Amino acid sequence: MQAGRELDKQVAVGLGWEVDEHIDIHLKDGAWREIPHFSTEWEGMGVLVEEAARQGFPFQIETRFMDGGLIDYRCLSIGEDRDIVHGFGDTAPKAVCRAFLKAKGIAV
């Protein structure tokens, strides 16, 4: 799945947030708010990292290089079944989203 709003909505659902399927909002503290840009912005990725850690899903992010150039980002997390899962992406936010969804057992 490509980075963007559909992936962001999937992550919000994985976090257990109530999401409006037709527009990019979620219910939090009794108010509807915009879903963070988990998969495309560092700020959104930070929200995911903090929320997931509270739920018991820590992350480790690595950059992968070959011949002096960046290949991609790899993110590791611990799945619900306590196995290590990997998420890859051309950006760190996308890799984190993919690892989180795999950790939650959600097909990516």
Side-chain angles (χ1 to χ4, degrees):
M1 176 175 281
Q2 295 298 319
R5 298 314 281 162
E6 290 305 314
L7 182 55
D8 296 339
K9 285 182 184 181
Q10 223 178 358
V11 168
V13 169
L15 287 170
W17 294 0
E18 183 179 341
V19 174
D20 185 302
E21 294 179 22
H22 304 290
I23 51 180
D24 298 337
I25 58 174
H26 71 98
L27 186 63
K28 184 176 181 182
D29 302 327
W32 289 96
R33 300 201 169 107
E34 182 180 0
I35 295 172
H37 295 261
F38 299 119
S39 65
T40 57
E41 296 180 1
W42 281 84
E43 183 178 351
M45 181 184 72
V47 172
L48 173 55
V49 167
E50 290 177 7
E51 290 288 327
R54 278 194 274 276
Q55 293 183 19
F57 298 94
F59 295 110
Q60 176 180 330
I61 304 169
E62 302 173 342
T63 52
R64 297 188 325 147
F65 293 91
M66 180 179 285
D67 299 326
L70 176 68
I71 298 173
D72 63 7
Y73 294 85
R74 179 172 77 160
C75 181
L76 299 115
S77 188
I78 300 171
E80 288 184 331
D81 58 4
R82 307 314 295 164
D83 285 340
I84 302 292
V85 297
H86 304 263
F88 296 91
D90 54 347
T91 66
K94 183 177 178 182
V96 170
C97 287
R98 293 176 62 102
F100 173 70
L101 292 174
K102 286 182 179 182
K104 295 288 287 190
I106 300 170
V108 180

